[in-house]
Amino acid sequence: MLHSSVVRVGLITTVLWSRYGPAWLKALEAVGATLETVSGAEASAWRNDPRVQRGSSSIFELAAAEAVALSHCDRLLVPSINEGYDGTKGGAGDPFVADLPAALQHAVPGIPKVWRVATNAATPGFEANALALLAEVAGQPASARRVWQTHKSELLQTVGPGPRPANPPGDAWVGVLGQPWWLEEPYLAASYDFGGERALTPAVWPDSELRSEGWTVDPDLAPSDAEALGAARRMARMHRVKRLVLLVDPTSSSDAWLTRAVQRMARKPLEIVETPDPFTVVEGRRVEAAS
């Protein structure tokens, strides 16, 4: 239990923020936490710190830079992309993909204790973990339970990627693929200029459906890999998808694995596009923590 009257919680906002962050902002504020984030410029100031360079790829270096910049906080709230998965197959051979909270805590010395929150609210144990975190801030389980009941519906909706766009019209689409974190804004918009092309992204389907489809290929995949591969499998079968674009970070072993997997199943023209420098894309970005 924390003994300080005000608990400062640093928020990691650059990895799948839309899936878990907004609801946690409200819940943690309601339980009395002081919330802090860093802008892209503030994170970039730590880019050359040796601790940051322990990140396995550019986006996880950015997450490490956020963690270092928030070292003065009492706790860090970190998304658990593959909560409950204990394998190392596919992209999960990268420890930052397999277990981002644990990897940050282990690889980046000097950061606060990490609180892990699943980006998929359907993960077993989600409610128990949420109550434990809220109680650590509130100092008593009863207060945590009241906040949970108030914000329960929002917290449990973090299973999805947010509002889904309508299917684009026409019969000549380009399917856009990649690891889930690269298909969120602002990275997606900065990755590729589609011009007048009709772009189809995995966001038109529930991520749970895509994971289920990916697990038909290999039931031992990590959820994030299953989601990415499920989208690739689905788009490869669609007649109106004429070609595919795969967004990859050339420094990422997870993306290298995904590239090989998509190439095996594509059956359509496939263009490999390098993802943007995430430090540059989020320049000046800050999530407003205060209500």
Side-chain angles (χ1 to χ4, degrees):
M1 188 68 66
L2 293 169
H3 299 290
S4 173
S5 59
V6 177
V7 180
R8 296 170 299 174
V9 180
L11 307 172
I12 301 300
T13 66
T14 53
V15 181
L16 293 177
W17 173 254
S18 70
R19 297 200 186 187
Y20 80 100
W24 275 102
L25 276 176
K26 295 178 181 179
L28 287 168
E29 281 188 328
V31 85
T34 295
L35 306 179
E36 298 193 27
T37 64
V38 294
S39 69
E42 290 166 323
S44 294
W46 296 95
R47 185 168 197 169
N48 294 321
D49 188 295
R51 295 171 294 174
V52 169
Q53 294 173 351
R54 294 178 184 178
S56 60
S57 63
S58 61
I59 198 165
F60 298 127
E61 286 184 350
L62 178 54
E66 284 186 284
V68 172
L70 292 165
S71 292
H72 60 280
C73 292
D74 301 303
R75 296 289 187 265
L76 289 180
L77 193 73
V78 179
S80 184
I81 303 163
N82 290 306
E83 182 70 13
Y85 179 76
D86 60 1
T88 58
K89 193 163 190 175
D94 177 347
F96 283 82
V97 172
D99 191 341
L100 177 58
L104 279 178
Q105 192 81 81
H106 175 75
V108 188
I111 64 174
K113 177 183 175 181
V114 164
W115 280 341
R116 58 192 309 124
V117 291
T119 56
N120 178 1
T123 302
F126 183 90
E127 178 175 350
N129 181 61
L131 284 168
L133 301 191
L134 294 171
E136 192 166 351
V137 176
Q140 49 184 319
S143 297
R145 173 65 65 176
R146 285 193 295 272
V147 170
W148 166 259
Q149 291 299 333
T150 301
H151 295 276
K152 178 179 179 179
S153 61
E154 294 170 295
L155 289 166
L156 292 178
Q157 285 173 1
T158 58
V159 65
R164 301 184 183 94
N167 285 356
D171 59 359
W173 301 347
V174 53
V176 186
L177 301 167
Q179 289 285 7
W181 43 91
W182 288 123
L183 296 177
E184 291 218 327
E185 300 299 348
Y187 311 116
L188 178 59
S191 294
Y192 191 74
D193 181 7
F194 293 97
E197 291 183 293
R198 300 180 178 96
L200 180 68
T201 74
V204 299
W205 299 292
D207 47 334
S208 57
E209 285 186 13
L210 297 178
R211 288 192 293 270
S212 294
E213 181 140 358
W215 282 321
T216 66
V217 178
D218 187 340
D220 295 326
L221 292 176
S224 59
D225 286 341
E227 183 177 334
L229 209 57
R233 187 170 186 265
R234 185 164 290 192
M235 290 187 193
R237 297 198 307 267
M238 295 178 67
H239 174 71
R240 286 193 285 181
V241 174
K242 302 304 182 184
R243 68 185 189 90
L244 300 170
V245 168
L246 178 63
L247 309 181
V248 300
D249 176 354
T251 69
S252 167
S253 62
S254 172
D255 285 8
W257 171 85
L258 182 61
T259 299
R260 294 190 296 271
V262 171
Q263 287 171 331
R264 286 194 296 269
M265 70 167 53
R267 299 194 297 274
K268 296 179 186 290
L270 175 65
E271 180 181 1
I272 308 300
V273 173
E274 185 173 336
T275 53
D277 176 0
F279 283 89
T280 301
V281 171
V282 299
E283 183 69 22
R285 178 189 181 200
R286 180 191 289 275
V287 173
E288 290 299 327
S291 57

